[in-house]
Amino acid sequence: MTVHPQTRFTLPDELNAVEPPEARGLARDQVKLLVAEGASVTHTRFDRIGEHLRPGDLLLVNTSGTLGAAVDGSWITGSGVAPVVVHFSTALDDGNWVVELRNGGLPLFGGAAGDQVELPEGVLTLLEPYEPSGRRLWRAKPPAADVVNYLWRNGRPITYKYVGKQWPLALYQTVFANQPGSAEMPSAGRPFSFELVSQLAAAGVLIAPILLHCGVSSLESHEPPLPERYEVSEHTARLVNWTKANGGRVIAVGTTAVRAIESAARPEVVASKGWTDLVLGPDHPATVVDGLITGMHAPEASHLLLLESVVGGDVVQRAYDAALEHSYLWHEFGDVSLLLRQ
């Protein structure tokens, strides 16, 4: 059964962030910040987020780095050859990858097992649909054994139609990234600068790493997130439990960090790694995190259900109404919210 988020809004095209804040004359930590807790909504700037955090609060940051996961190719079918862009989404345990084929910015659904896509340095072979009910995502044999290095040589960042041009991969990395593996940027961490991290640490805010490699986000409307690879270390698990026991707040930087840490709850957090298919929502509310830092998500995105599972639908609706009223920018290069459970 499909569950829809309670939050409802219409996103005007002019509120899509079409370029990084640096191209708009801003430092990465100077984007807008909306803080919502209960009935209160505050508008500020991200480099002042420390005013809304307390000594002893714990930020969970995703250390996954963004891949140049889009590669141009030629799809060989029974009726000829067609230009495509291959989006490398997720590395599987057997060395194959989950991929999506796109043309003209739209996903392609007409593939067949055995189809090949000519790519730089080799050929990608479609093996079978990744999901039995669809033909949008495929298990595929990649053109190289070391796909991460292959993508460094041949790939570029995945972009969607609201971004007007290609930007360097460095602009899709967070200051926390040290383990490449995400098809798309864990963008909630992007506004942090090294200077801001130092200021927060000096003020007594704790920071701990967590890992979740993001797949493609093109399944925005109604679709639940796909299984993703994650890891919660023993150090992070202990620090989360210590923070909770001592009255601090656990604040996840991004929906990815929420999904990872909630996947490790038993109900106390334990060190764990592997694949998570956890979907947070009305039937599975968040139990570990007390809030999250997150970008602005598209209407009907499954991410909205996750936000509601942390702070409640009324808070999310209030935050999004305020963001629209004050012309916040959406998506990976846009503005940010801090949503806190009261």
Side-chain angles (χ1 to χ4, degrees), residues 67-73 85-91 95-102 117 119-120 122-125 137-138 140-144 146-148 150-151 154-156 158 181-184 214-217:
L67 302 170
V71 182
D72 293 318
V85 178
V86 178
H87 286 180
F88 286 78
S89 177
T90 306
N96 294 317
W97 275 67
V98 180
V99 303
E100 179 188 45
L101 305 185
R102 298 177 75 90
V117 180
L119 296 175
V123 172
L124 177 116
T125 303
L137 296 175
W138 286 83
K141 182 179 180 181
D146 187 343
V147 174
V148 171
Y150 172 84
L151 294 175
N154 299 290
R156 64 177 187 276
I158 289 175
S182 282
E184 300 185 27
C214 313
V216 294
S217 67

Side-chain angles (χ1 to χ4, degrees), residues 111-130:
D115 282 358
Q116 294 188 321
V117 180
E118 291 184 348
L119 296 175
E121 301 182 28
V123 172
L124 177 116
T125 303
L126 302 185
L127 301 177
E128 62 180 356
Y130 183 57

Side-chain angles (χ1 to χ4, degrees), residues 59-94:
L59 298 181
L60 296 175
V61 300
N62 190 354
T63 59
S64 180
T66 310
L67 302 170
V71 182
D72 293 318
S74 298
W75 183 18
I76 305 168
T77 68
S79 57
V81 178
V84 294
V85 178
V86 178
H87 286 180
F88 286 78
S89 177
T90 306
L92 300 173
D93 293 336
D94 60 3

Side-chain angles (χ1 to χ4, degrees), residues 25-332:
L26 301 174
R28 63 168 58 206
D29 60 6
Q30 291 179 333
V31 296
K32 292 179 182 178
L33 173 66
L34 181 152
V35 182
E37 181 177 12
S40 170
V41 173
T42 303
H43 301 283
T44 182
R45 205 170 69 176
F46 193 79
D47 56 2
R48 297 172 186 150
I49 192 171
E51 298 171 7
H52 302 275
L53 301 175
R54 308 167 187 158
D57 283 347
L58 172 63
L59 298 181
L60 296 175
V61 300
N62 190 354
T63 59
S64 180
T66 310
L67 302 170
V71 182
D72 293 318
S74 298
W75 183 18
I76 305 168
T77 68
S79 57
V81 178
V84 294
V85 178
V86 178
H87 286 180
F88 286 78
S89 177
T90 306
L92 300 173
D93 293 336
D94 60 3
N96 294 317
W97 275 67
V98 180
V99 303
E100 179 188 45
L101 305 185
R102 298 177 75 90
N103 179 275
L106 298 174
L108 298 173
F109 293 90
D115 282 358
Q116 294 188 321
V117 180
E118 291 184 348
L119 296 175
E121 301 182 28
V123 172
L124 177 116
T125 303
L126 302 185
L127 301 177
E128 62 180 356
Y130 183 57
E131 300 172 292
S133 59
R135 286 267 191 295
R136 186 179 66 82
L137 296 175
W138 286 83
R139 292 179 182 268
K141 182 179 180 181
D146 187 343
V147 174
V148 171
N149 279 322
Y150 172 84
L151 294 175
W152 283 124
R153 296 192 301 273
N154 299 290
R156 64 177 187 276
I158 289 175
T159 58
Y160 296 108
K161 61 182 180 180
Y162 53 83
V163 176
K165 58 177 282 189
Q166 289 291 324
W167 297 96
L169 183 60
L171 292 175
Y172 289 83
Q173 305 295 355
T174 73
V175 297
F176 308 112
N178 62 18
Q179 300 179 67
S182 282
E184 300 185 27
M185 174 174 51
S187 55
R190 190 186 192 279
F192 284 91
S193 63
F194 290 112
E195 293 79 9
L196 179 57
V197 170
S198 296
Q199 291 169 15
L200 294 174
V205 175
L206 306 172
I207 298 173
I210 204 166
L211 179 70
L212 186 137
H213 290 317
C214 313
V216 294
S217 67
S218 52
L219 59 163
E220 277 285 345
S221 184
H222 308 307
E223 297 179 75
L226 297 170
E228 292 170 312
R229 194 186 301 273
Y230 82 104
E231 181 173 355
V232 177
S233 68
E234 179 68 31
H235 164 78
T236 294
R238 288 178 179 271
L239 193 51
V240 168
N241 293 330
W242 181 89
T243 300
K244 301 288 285 186
N246 286 277
R249 297 177 298 182
V250 175
I251 299 172
V253 179
T255 58
T256 59
V258 176
R259 194 183 199 195
I261 199 66
E262 295 289 342
S263 297
R266 307 284 192 275
E268 276 205 335
V269 174
V270 299
S272 58
K273 64 180 180 179
W275 292 88
T276 177
D277 58 2
L278 175 65
V279 178
L280 293 166
D283 297 331
H284 195 139
T287 61
V288 177
V289 297
D290 302 292
L292 76 161
I293 297 165
T294 181
M296 313 305 296
H297 299 287
E300 291 294 340
S302 62
H303 298 87
L304 294 171
L305 282 170
L306 184 149
L307 307 188
E308 293 171 2
S309 82
V310 176
V311 299
D314 291 344
V315 173
V316 179
Q317 184 69 66
R318 191 175 298 114
Y320 273 66
D321 289 344
L324 290 166
E325 181 182 353
H326 289 261
S327 298
Y328 279 62
L329 295 179
W330 256 247
H331 303 303
E332 66 268 30

